[in-house]
Each structure stands twice: as C-alpha cells, then as structure tokens.
C-alpha cells in the first residue's frame, strides 16, 4: 500500500473512532472499547476494499459485511456515515427513541446494514449463507464478517467455520477482532478460545495474523484472501480495546464498557481530531 | 394420496416448487433421509444443502442466503426446532427474512424415538416469536392445497408436519385458506377446536357425541398463529362450551391461543386436550394417545364436561 493511502486510511480510522465516541457520548455509555478496536478494519473495508455503492445500499452485486460482533454498531455507523450512506448527524441519534441507529445494527431500519446482529455467533453463519448464495448465483461479490474473540466462545462460530471450509467458500473472509477483553474480564481468563491461528487452520481456513491497527497489513491480508482460490481466509486482527484514545485504552485494560460524558469527549477530541 | 406418507407428499410438493422457482433452496441438518428430502440433492445440485448436525448454523445460513434473493426451506424434527430458538428469533424473525422452517414428527408422533425426540415446546416457543406464522398440516390433501399459499407468503413461517401416514379428513373439493380456520362439521352445542393429528380424533368425537344427541362444531385451526379469531370466537359465542385438541404442550399452543382470544372476545369455559405440560415417552401412537388423554373418548368426556360447566 502506498504511504499516502495508508495515511489516508489512518485518518479515516481516526474519524470513525471520533464518530463512534460522539455517538456513544450522546447516550452516555456503550460499547466503546470494541468499537474503537475495530475501527481500522472498518476503514480498510469501507474505504478501500469493499465493492459498494453507498447511494445504492441494496445493489445486488455489492460486497457484504456482517458485523457478527454486533455491539460494535457505533463504529459501523461512523464508517457508513463517513462513506456517505447517511448524514453524519444521524450519529447523534444512536439509541434515541425511534432511531434508525440502535446500538446493534438493524437491517430493517437502515439499508446498508447487511444483516441484523446482536446475539453472538449468528452473524458468521449468516455470512456463510451469503457466501454460499453468492456462489450459487454466480456473483463475484465477496462476503466479510467480523467476529469478536470472546464471540468465538459460541459454538455456532465453529459450526459456521466448519461448513465454510468444507464448502470451500473462497469468497468469504472472516476477521477476528482479537482485543482480548470480554465483559467478565480477560478472554484468556474466562474461557480461552486461543490459539486462533491453529484452530482456524485446523478447521480448514487459510490464516493470516496482522496488526489490527495497521491498515496496510489488514489490506494486504484481504488481498491475499481474494487471491486464495483454495480456502476461505481468516484474518486475526491483533487489536487493543479502546485503541486510539489513551485514557480509554488504559481503562479498557480492565473493563468491557465504560461511560463517556462530554468531558471525556473533549479529552478524546485532542487525540482524534 | 391418502395412502402416502406425509413426508413423501411434502417432498414431492417441494420438488415441484423448486422446479418452478429457482429461488427456492432447501437446507437440512442430516435429517433429509428421515424427511424424504434427500432425493432433491440429485435433482437440484447446489440447491439442496446439508450443513451436518448443526441446526443453529442451518437457521442463520438460511437467513444469510436471502441476501441474494433465495427463499430457503430448512428442515429438522420438531424437537430440534427448539435448538434454533435464538437463531429463528434474530437471524430469521427480527431480521425479517423469508425462511420457511419445517418441523416433522410433532409431539407424540415421534413414537419410538421416545421422550427425547418429542417436540412438546416447539409450538409455544414459536408462538412467542413476533411475526411468526405457524401452520400445522392436518393431512396430505390439505397440505397440497396449502403449499401454493405458503409459497406465496413472503415471511417467516413454521410448518409442522407428521412424517408418516395420517388419516385423511380433507377432500380436494374443499376450499383452503391458510389464514382462515375451517369449520369441518357444523354444530350448536359445543365447539371442538383442533389441529394436526387431533382433527381426526375431534371428528370421531363429534360422531360419538352425535349419538348422544349433542351437536359438536369441529373447527380445524391449521394456522394457530395468527389465529383466525373471527371464526373461532363466533363458534364459541354460539355454543358457549369449548374443547381444544392439540398434539403439543397445552401451555402456549392452541389451548393458549384460543383462551387468549376468547378471554377478549367471547368468554367461555374452555377445556384442553393435548400434552398436559409433561414430557413425552416412548411408545406407539395408540398407547401414547391413551396415556396422554388424547383419544376421541377423552375429547367426548371433555366436551360433556364443558357443556355441564356451561349449564
């Protein structure tokens, strides 16, 4: 990736972080950490890799993204707003009564959300269904899904992986946001799904481990996934919960969610804008 | 057709639908041979899938496939439909996907597969899912008439089917409406509401009651959700005495649906016949009907009791 492109995507990721925080601050609390950790991957997907038409969100030949870790909705909305799916001021309606932007994305409320998610483990199966369907229709569109590391404690994730590899769904790319924290504490302490690379590989996936905050590494891994004609690819994103805002990173070392007030937002602004 | 198994009839109807509509695909979870849908794989390569023994995955995969315009039909035993509760709620229901869910071997028809394989909670679970339609086939004749209407409906639906032969009570000259309960036998003294395999028992009970000079009205509520409140409550207003008959837990199923409607529009005494909040057990149908209190005789007793309470 060219240096200017990388800088541009880093800037985009910062804007996504800012948008997510701004949205969350309006309600006072939300899934801050898991939204910030996945911002770089969303920047690469929505601003570099995915074939999409924001002005035509239901375009049949679009690439699809299923945010299986649905709780990162605020980051997804921030990415979509910046990409032009809807006005950025809609971000201020997050979780407000009657909003099109509930904390977990709802495809019936917001065109561009490719699948409603929120109950963990289901989105990845939905993505497998999309990949099967794309192949069946002869479409060359690609399917991306982002799962959480804690989410991989759900048995359904492994059912989905097993069938995806069995079906040789080379049009499917699974991104794992390995940010190491879940509600009860460290993922490794609660019920450790690691080692991801070995397990995904044993299930029949090509596996690429990257710095989940480096747009160039993420994008190169997606290029490699596209080039793989044998197996579906899993990209393990090594990430940090709360990434990009130092005081949030610190707090996220021990917490899954946190409150965000206007003072916090001002502090975050210094680092994000 | 009366001498054919329900699964054979269903598989043939599905095959015909797949021939006519390329968007229809089927997904099984290792029970295609049990449900007679196995042969679809040869006829429709790539359109009849098997995800292995993974029902949750099956439900969400089906939801995902709708993204490209497909109309998936997924199938398993009724008892395992409950395994997909959350996937049906979110991936299918909440997301508003047009997925048809087929459960076979309802309630006591699981027979020698025994208590672990008797779907007793599937209907109540499904009724609790907003926007879900629930249709239970009464017999093969009715299923054949229902199929075009099921195919035409664009939304999630649970289709509950016996696998083996069932008595035929419908005939092809009757008019079937998926959204309307059907009065199979008119009467003025007591209302017997039934669905699935219990419709035949209800009709037999009506004969026995007629011998005692009691005119029972028998209504086939093949679609328990949304309930045809109009037809059911009109009958209840007329007779004032009601028995419901279902092959599922009476908590949350047909009995509940009728009580809920009657409580609002036509209060009456309503007695339940069905699986009385207990687990199934191994056995053949005659034994199971007897031990669960689900025979025509039991319906007669309940009808007499309902009439007595009314008077």
């Amino acid at each position: 990736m060219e240096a200017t492109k990388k800088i541009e995507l880093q800037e985009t990721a910062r804007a996504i972080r800012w948008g997510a925080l701004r949205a969350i601050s309006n309600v006072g609390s939300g899934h801050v950490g898991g939204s910030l950790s996945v911002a770089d991957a969303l920047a690469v997907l929505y601003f570099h890799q995915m074939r999409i038409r924001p002005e035509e969100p239901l375009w049949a030949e679009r690439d699809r993204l299923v945010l299986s870790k649905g709780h990162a909705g605020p980051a997804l909305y921030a990415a979509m707003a910046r990409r032009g799916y809807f006005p950025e001021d809609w971000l201020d309606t997050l979780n407000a009564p009657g909003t099109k932007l509930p904390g977990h994305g709802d495809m019936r409320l917001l065109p561009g959300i490719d699948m409603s998610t929120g109950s963990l483990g289901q989105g990845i199966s939905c993505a497998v269904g999309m990949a099967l369907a794309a192949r069946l229709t002869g479409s060359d569109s690609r399917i991306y899904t982002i799962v959480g590391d804690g989410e991989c404690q759900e048995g359904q994730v492994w059912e989905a992986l097993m069938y995806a590899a069995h079906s040789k769904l080379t049009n499917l790319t699974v991104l794992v946001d390995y940010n190491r924290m879940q509600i009860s504490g460290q993922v490794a302490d609660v019920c450790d799904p690691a080692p991801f690379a070995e397990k995904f590989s044993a299930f029949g996936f090509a596996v690429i481990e990257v710095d989940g905050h480096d747009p160039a590494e993420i994008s190169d891994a997606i290029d490699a996934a596209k080039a793989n004609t044998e197996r579906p690819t899993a990209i393990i994103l090594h990430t940090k919960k709360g990434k990009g805002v130092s005081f949030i990173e610190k707090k996220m070392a021990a917490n899954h969610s946190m409150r965000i007030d206007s003072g916090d937002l001002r502090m975050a602004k210094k680092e994000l804008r | 057709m009366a001498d054919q198994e329900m699964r054979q009839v269903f598989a043939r109807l599905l095959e015909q639908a797949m021939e006519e509509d390329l968007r229809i695909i089927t997904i099984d979870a290792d029970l295609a041979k049990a449900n007679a849908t196995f042969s679809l794989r040869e006829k429709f390569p790539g359109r009849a899938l098997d995800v292995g023994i993974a029902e949750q995955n099956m439900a969400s995969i089906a939801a995902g496939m709708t993204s490209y315009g497909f109309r998936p039909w997924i199938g398993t035993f009724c008892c395992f439909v409950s395994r997909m509760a959350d996937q049906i709620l979110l991936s299918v229901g909440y997301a508003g996907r047009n997925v048809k869910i087929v459960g076979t071997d309802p309630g006591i028809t699981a027979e020698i597969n025994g208590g672990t394989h008797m779907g007793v909670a599937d209907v109540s679970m499904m009724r609790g899912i907003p926007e879900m339609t629930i249709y239970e086939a009464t017999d093969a004749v009715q299923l054949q008439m229902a199929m075009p209407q099921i195919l035409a409906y664009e939304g999630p639906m649970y289709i509950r089917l016996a696998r083996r032969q069932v008595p035929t009570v419908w005939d092809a000259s009757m008019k079937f409406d998926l959204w309307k309960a059907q009065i199979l036998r008119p009467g003025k003294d007591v209302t017997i509401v039934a669905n699935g395999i219990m419709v035949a028992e209800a009709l037999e009970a009506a004969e026995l009651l007629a011998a005692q000079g009691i005119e029972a009205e028998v209504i086939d509520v093949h679609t328990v959700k949304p309930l045809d409140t109009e037809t059911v409550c009109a009958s209840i207003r007329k007779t004032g005495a009601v028995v419901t008959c279902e092959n599922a837990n009476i908590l949350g199923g047909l009995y509940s649906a009728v009580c809920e409607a009657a409580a609002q529009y036509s209060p009456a005494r309503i007695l339940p016949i069905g699986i009385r909040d207990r687990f199934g057990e191994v056995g053949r149908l005659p034994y199971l009907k007897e031990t669960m209190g689900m025979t025509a005789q039991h319906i007669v007793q309940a009808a007499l009791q309902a009439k007595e309470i009314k008077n």
Side-chain angles (χ1 to χ4, degrees):
Chain A
M1 179 179 283
E2 283 178 25
T4 50
K5 184 74 194 172
K6 181 172 173 177
I7 290 165
E8 186 190 311
L9 288 172
Q10 283 170 329
E11 180 52 40
T12 300
R14 260 196 302 279
I16 291 171
R17 290 190 166 92
W18 171 249
L21 277 183
R22 168 183 148 183
I24 292 169
S25 72
N26 280 306
V27 255
S29 70
H31 291 280
V32 176
S35 290
L36 298 190
S37 64
V38 83
D40 304 280
L42 289 171
V44 172
L45 287 167
Y46 275 95
F47 291 82
H48 187 52
Q49 285 285 4
M50 281 187 5
R51 183 175 75 189
I52 45 177
R53 291 180 182 167
E55 71 287 358
E56 195 186 341
L58 299 180
W59 177 43
E61 287 304 311
R62 72 191 185 277
D63 289 347
R64 274 113 169 125
L65 171 72
V66 180
L67 186 65
S68 200
K69 49 167 284 183
H71 51 279
L76 178 60
Y77 295 143
M80 290 174 70
R82 191 172 170 85
R83 190 70 173 79
Y85 280 86
F86 53 83
E88 292 214 46
D89 58 13
W90 285 19
L91 292 175
D92 296 330
T93 70
L94 181 79
N95 286 335
T99 185
K100 293 180 190 303
L101 276 54
H104 303 82
D106 184 334
M107 67 189 298
R108 294 165 95 178
L109 291 177
L110 189 64
I113 298 288
D114 287 316
M115 178 51 67
S116 303
T117 54
S119 183
L120 297 175
Q122 296 186 30
I124 182 173
S125 292
C126 296
V128 170
M130 290 177 191
L132 286 162
R135 186 169 67 187
L136 201 50
T137 57
S139 168
D140 67 346
S141 55
R142 297 191 62 81
I143 318 300
Y144 298 92
T145 182
I146 303 176
V147 299
D149 49 358
E151 181 177 7
C152 291
Q153 291 159 349
E154 290 280 9
Q156 190 176 353
V157 169
W158 304 95
E159 294 182 0
L161 292 172
M162 203 187 308
Y163 194 63
H166 172 82
S167 305
K168 299 189 167 35
L169 297 176
T170 54
N171 55 353
L172 174 73
T173 305
V174 177
L175 299 100
V176 182
D177 183 13
Y178 194 7
N179 64 26
R180 296 172 188 271
M181 284 294 296
Q182 63 187 110
I183 294 175
S184 302
Q186 296 278 338
V187 173
D189 293 337
V190 176
C191 177
D192 197 355
F196 286 110
E198 286 86 340
K199 285 179 182 166
F200 278 66
S201 179
F203 271 69
F205 270 67
V207 183
I208 304 169
E209 298 202 64
V210 301
D211 174 352
H213 300 307
D214 183 328
E217 280 193 27
I218 299 167
S219 186
D220 287 350
I222 291 174
D223 284 337
K226 285 178 172 172
N228 194 323
T229 56
E230 304 282 314
R231 294 189 289 172
T233 298
I235 300 171
I236 315 300
L237 304 165
H238 288 269
T239 58
K240 201 172 209 180
K241 211 150 188 170
K243 174 71 181 181
V245 184
S246 48
F247 78 94
I248 298 178
E249 277 181 37
K250 205 176 288 174
K251 185 138 190 183
M252 280 296 144
N255 294 283
H256 176 73
S257 59
M258 64 182 284
R259 298 197 62 78
I260 291 282
D261 60 25
S262 54
D264 296 326
L265 199 61
R266 275 196 299 280
M267 261 165 70
K269 196 170 187 175
K270 289 177 196 156
E271 293 182 57
L272 293 177
R273 302 213 91 185
Chain B
M1 194 185 297
D3 55 351
Q4 288 175 43
E5 291 188 327
M6 290 292 277
R7 58 181 163 184
Q8 300 293 348
V9 174
F10 170 68
R12 210 175 52 245
L13 292 167
L14 197 54
E15 182 186 328
Q16 191 187 334
M18 289 176 81
E19 272 165 12
E20 288 165 7
D21 187 345
L22 294 173
R23 296 170 297 181
I24 297 174
I25 53 136
T26 63
I27 314 180
D28 282 289
D30 201 40
L31 287 178
K33 285 185 177 170
N35 286 343
T37 47
F38 196 78
S39 63
L40 299 173
R41 294 173 194 190
E42 273 177 31
K43 294 183 181 107
F44 308 103
R47 289 175 59 204
L49 310 174
D50 193 327
V51 297
I53 308 164
E55 293 80 8
Q56 296 95 318
N57 200 29
M58 172 169 70
S60 297
I61 282 177
M65 291 192 82
T66 63
S67 184
Y68 285 80
F70 286 107
R71 302 174 156 203
W73 285 62
I74 64 177
T76 185
F77 289 157
C78 290
C79 54
F80 303 137
V81 166
S82 314
R83 289 189 76 115
M84 309 186 272
D86 192 40
Q87 287 74 16
I88 292 170
L89 190 144
L90 169 56
S91 299
V92 176
Y94 184 82
R97 305 291 83 202
N98 181 6
V99 175
K100 302 293 188 276
I101 303 143
V102 179
T104 64
D105 263 6
I108 59 173
T109 66
E111 292 194 299
I112 57 163
N113 267 338
T116 61
H117 281 54
M118 279 178 193
V120 294
D122 55 322
V123 178
S124 25
M125 178 207 103
M126 282 292 195
R127 271 192 80 232
I129 295 177
E131 301 177 24
M132 183 61 63
T133 294
I134 305 173
Y135 162 72
E136 180 158 356
T138 306
D139 62 24
V141 176
Q142 186 205 63
L143 177 62
Q144 188 160 31
M145 290 192 276
M147 198 66 173
Q149 296 178 36
I150 295 169
L151 289 163
Y153 175 70
E154 298 199 12
M157 190 185 297
Y158 180 40
I159 296 137
R160 207 169 184 250
L161 288 180
R163 275 202 299 154
R164 302 198 168 81
Q165 277 174 254
V166 296
T168 302
V169 299
W170 279 65
D171 75 72
S173 68
M174 293 162 67
K175 193 174 170 316
F176 176 84
D177 184 337
L178 185 60
W179 311 104
K180 297 293 284 180
Q182 179 69 37
I183 297 172
L184 292 177
R185 179 185 176 121
K188 60 174 176 44
D189 299 325
V190 59
T191 298
I192 305 178
V193 177
N195 61 11
I197 60 163
M198 296 307 290
V199 174
E201 296 291 332
L203 287 167
E204 193 185 326
E207 279 294 319
L208 297 170
L209 286 163
Q212 300 182 37
I214 296 166
E215 293 178 30
E217 181 150 286
V218 178
I219 307 177
D220 183 345
V221 179
H222 43 75
T223 302
V224 70
K225 187 182 177 184
L227 181 74
D228 175 6
T229 304
E230 200 184 320
T231 302
V232 171
C233 289
S235 179
I236 294 174
R237 272 192 290 271
K238 180 170 66 179
T239 64
V242 192
V243 179
T244 66
C245 315
E246 67 200 295
N247 177 25
N249 195 344
I250 57 166
L251 302 187
L254 179 65
Y255 180 59
S256 296
V258 171
C259 286
E260 289 156 18
Q264 285 189 67
Y265 305 111
S266 55
R269 296 286 187 167
I270 305 173
L271 299 180
I273 294 287
I275 301 173
R276 292 172 167 270
D277 199 24
R278 54 157 291 184
F279 295 107
E281 64 180 74
V282 73
R284 290 295 181 188
L285 263 185
Y287 165 77
L288 291 167
K289 278 183 186 170
E290 191 60 46
T291 201
M292 300 270 185
M294 292 166 65
T295 66
Q297 273 303 339
H298 288 101
I299 299 170
V300 168
Q301 290 311 311
L304 294 174
Q305 201 187 334
K307 246 179 87 29
E308 197 170 307
I309 296 170
K310 171 197 159 193
N311 293 336

